Amino acid sequence: MLNGTLKLAVQKKGRLTDKSLQLLRNCGLDIDNYSDRLFVNARNFSLDVLFLRDDDIPEYVQDNVADIGIVGENVVVEKKADVRIEKKLGFGRCSLMIALRDGAELSTPQQLNGIKIATSYPVILKHYLESHNVDSKIITISGSVEIAPSLGVADAICDIVSTGQTLRLHKLKPAFSVFDSEAVLIANNNIKQYPAKFELLQRLLRRIDSVLNARDSRYLMMNIPAEAENEITGIVPALKSPTIVPLADKNALALHAVIPNDTFWEIIDDLKAAGATDILLLSIENMIL
Ligand code: PRT
Ligand code: ZN
């Protein structure tokens, strides 16, 4: 008998909020619209969602205010939180990068010696500099790091980059990559001591796996000439053996297969050349292997 409720912290309002909630909904969790509430519960799973600032999530999970959380790995590492990273979630991808003014040419991190670098990530930056044996001065600022060089506060910055647009706008260019991040599911280190919560976490992780597997795959269906069966099964990169179904027309077969999402356009010309017709590509909501 399960009892206890799993408390999950997600970002209240920011880049990770919508995708975190979407992931939970894709896992079949019926979650209320949150608007301005501090927490909501899932109607069909023993789980409460707490909405917090992302910077607070690692510590709250470490200190058991929440049992688990969804947050950028960059924040987990920067806060030196003592938590378990249970799963990388494949969204919120970005890189923490050292960027310099346009025109400044550095080819090795050692050339950063003696310069001033502004960042909101002093812990990760310090670790990077030490591991490269570099002695730079770290200037910690909490926001708008990208304007530091033009204000004369620093020679370079170390900040999160995703598209690179912000850097270009401020006439900065990325030089060295310090840390690659994505959203992760973290858990309190002692969650195993609470068997009901631990079991709920395992259930949630199985559902997350099924959503992540499905996200990278597509369901491919087509009709093929019976004599082209071998040729076409050789072209289709099916994750498992494809399904071949006889049709009323004895000269034709239907082929169904689950394929990696990014291979469809690579094989489509070969499929058509081999005689495939009526090709359908469908998204998959969940996939349990
Ligand atoms: O209010 P709260 O404290 O909860 O939110 P926040 O403002 O601190 O965080 P938020 O919502 O901006 O980001 C949450 C998480 O999203 C980060 O911790 C990262 O893990 C991840 N993430 C992914 C990003 C970006 N992409 C990103 N582009 N976080 C920040 N940025 C910022 C970056 O700081 C820079 O100012 O976007 C700008 C650069 O973007 P590009 O596309 O111009 O390169
Ligand atoms: Zn924040």
Side-chain angles (χ1 to χ4, degrees):
M1 177 56 188
L2 278 172
N3 50 38
T5 299
L6 203 55
K7 280 178 283 171
L8 163 71
V10 304
Q11 190 184 20
K12 184 174 173 61
K13 195 165 184 279
R15 286 168 200 268
L16 303 182
T17 309
D18 287 348
K19 287 198 168 149
S20 302
L21 292 171
Q22 191 55 51
L23 172 67
L24 298 174
R25 293 197 172 107
N26 290 346
C27 287
L29 271 54
D30 185 0
I31 296 169
D32 260 351
N33 275 336
Y34 58 104
S35 61
D36 282 332
R37 290 157 65 179
L38 199 58
F39 82 92
V40 296
N41 40 6
R43 284 196 206 87
N44 55 357
F45 197 96
S46 226
L47 179 132
D48 288 341
V49 183
L50 317 184
F51 295 101
L52 300 170
R53 284 205 54 195
D54 71 339
D55 314 69
D56 296 334
I57 292 175
E59 207 173 339
Y60 277 21
V61 170
Q62 172 189 290
D63 297 346
N64 237 336
V65 179
D67 304 301
I68 59 175
I70 296 178
V71 66
E73 195 177 355
N74 51 313
V75 181
V76 180
V77 176
E78 182 63 28
K79 299 287 173 186
K80 297 187 181 164
D82 194 9
V83 294
R84 284 165 56 88
I85 293 184
E86 295 283 349
K87 188 145 298 281
K88 297 195 179 219
L89 299 175
F91 62 87
R93 286 210 170 95
C94 55
S95 297
L96 191 59
M97 301 200 75
I98 294 176
L100 308 161
R101 277 197 212 129
D102 265 349
E105 286 300 334
L106 294 190
S107 47
T108 69
Q110 280 64 39
Q111 292 169 295
L112 297 166
N113 246 321
I115 73 165
K116 286 189 278 187
I117 308 177
T119 189
S120 311
Y121 291 88
V123 171
I124 301 179
L125 177 59
K126 183 163 181 275
H127 180 263
Y128 173 86
L129 294 173
E130 282 175 0
S131 68
H132 287 81
N133 255 324
V134 179
D135 192 15
S136 315
K137 182 160 172 44
I138 299 175
I139 316 271
T140 303
I141 40 185
S142 57
S144 302
V145 172
E146 62 280 350
I147 61 173
S150 55
L151 294 179
V153 176
D155 309 298
I157 67 164
C158 175
D159 198 13
I160 301 275
V161 179
S162 57
T163 61
Q165 218 178 331
T166 307
L167 290 186
R168 280 193 294 279
L169 204 68
H170 290 85
K171 299 195 166 27
L172 297 164
K173 66 171 183 197
F176 306 108
S177 181
V178 170
F179 188 82
D180 290 329
S181 181
E182 64 187 271
V184 290
L185 182 82
I186 55 171
N188 179 274
N189 270 333
N190 300 320
I191 194 161
K192 259 195 169 159
Q193 292 169 18
Y194 305 90
K197 290 190 184 227
F198 184 69
E199 176 52 29
L200 285 166
L201 171 60
Q202 301 315 307
R203 274 208 222 169
L204 182 63
L205 284 169
R206 284 195 289 273
R207 293 192 190 191
I208 290 175
D209 273 341
S210 109
V211 172
L212 297 183
N213 287 337
R215 189 160 59 192
D216 296 335
S217 304
R218 293 289 180 273
Y219 196 81
L220 176 67
M221 301 164 71
M222 68 189 96
N223 290 337
I224 63 173
E227 76 268 9
E229 181 182 343
N230 284 343
E231 184 185 355
I232 291 184
T233 49
I235 296 169
V236 175
L239 294 185
K240 299 237 165 98
S241 173
T243 304
I244 307 279
V245 189
L247 295 178
D249 173 358
K250 293 276 175 288
N251 298 319
L253 299 166
L255 182 150
H256 296 193
V258 175
I259 62 166
N261 184 17
D262 49 7
T263 54
F264 179 67
W265 294 109
E266 287 166 22
I267 60 169
I268 184 72
D269 293 334
D270 291 344
L271 290 176
K272 290 185 81 170
T277 57
D278 310 306
I279 302 171
L280 297 180
L281 187 71
L282 311 176
S283 337
I284 304 171
E285 249 175 54
N286 292 90
M287 192 164 121
I288 295 148
L289 297 172

